[in-house]
Amino acid sequence: MSTKKDIRALTKEQLRDFFVANGDKAFRGNQVYEWLWQKSAHSFDVMTNLSKETREMLAHNFVINHIKVDVMQRSSDGTIKNAVRLHDDLVVESVLIPTSTRTTACVSSQVGCSLDCRFCATARLKRMRNLNPDEIYDQVVAIDNESRLYFDRPLSNIVFMGMGEPLMNYNNVLKAIDKITSPEGLGMSPKRIIVSTSGVPKMIKKMADDNVKFKLAVSLHSAVDEIRTSIMPFNATFSLTDLREALQYWYEKTKSRITYEYVVWKGINDTQKDADALVAFCRFAPSKVNLIEYNPIDDGTFQQAAQKAISMYTETLERNNIVVTVRRSRGKDIDAACGQLANKS
Ligand code: SAH
């Protein structure tokens, strides 16, 4: 590892200041910034509108840390999983999910995860560290490139549903989204970005206060405290009452619909009472429930509920005017589906 500073940790202002402090013009900073972010330059040599001396001076002072797609796996359904190596040799995963009209990138926000959801493979990895904004941004760029290469179209949507809890790395996630949405980065609309959280009430309120323009998804899985705590133990600290209060605050401020991710498991949350509790929990605001298929990762403690239970859920939700979709898993054959990201490749 180099002791030189990573130039991509600098803001545009700091880059401009650096050039002025070195007796050059501030706009050089803009040029370099454009190379780093819009053109994803991996070396100073390619920055052809700078003099050789300037390029050498930069290389003397800085490195350009970049992620590297180590292994790319393709599923029989078109899904692509990237194992991404970071500058300190840690690895995270990101996934490209194609449909007939869209390409969605599912990106990681942390190496491992500090939460302890019993049904999630990522939870078995210790949280090693937060990803930097550029490491998040680079995952998106890598998938955008793959989408253009293999599907002939740019990336259209981004979900923060890879490894990690985005709201426990909030500042870096926000900075990455700023770059992704900025015309100097990828210029994507924030409306096409979903940040998914296990539900950190304080941070949901902070997002509302920050007036963010992206969408929010909550991995709920149960609207009954005892059950949720048994499958997502941190619920003992961040209870459903606090979560609900934070979501109410979010909705009042943003007027943005809330999506809930929900898996129905046999013998855990598959009764009418569970479905009624879900309705009671999310009725306060326009909501959408995604019933996601369980991707087995363990010895069988968790099993996908019977089709009858899924139908009971959809009927109950629809009767109460809550939008519901049943989601098929993608990329299961390469361990790229929800909850399967565990650096196995
Ligand atoms: N920590 C954030 C981001 C991860 S998103 C969050 O929890 O929202 C990953 C999604 O996959 C979450 O909705 C999670 O609950 C779900 N998930 C985890 N393990 C799963 C599994 N084995 N099968 C299906 N979905 C799973």
Side-chain angles (χ1 to χ4, degrees), residues 119-120 160-162 164-166 196-198 219 221 261 263 292-295 297 338-339:
F119 46 80
C120 179
F160 281 79
M161 294 190 188
E165 169 49 51
S196 178
T197 177
S198 306
S219 300
H221 302 305
E261 309 292 322
V263 179
I292 50 185
E293 198 184 333
Y294 177 56
N295 302 303
I297 56 138
C338 289

Side-chain angles (χ1 to χ4, degrees), residues 288-317:
K288 178 179 167 200
V289 174
N290 284 333
L291 293 178
I292 50 185
E293 198 184 333
Y294 177 56
N295 302 303
I297 56 138
D298 64 355
D299 51 6
T301 320
F302 289 94
Q303 280 174 33
Q304 172 77 28
Q307 186 50 46
K308 218 171 73 194
I310 309 288
S311 309
M312 179 275 290
Y313 262 92
T314 50
E315 280 157 25
T316 306
L317 290 162

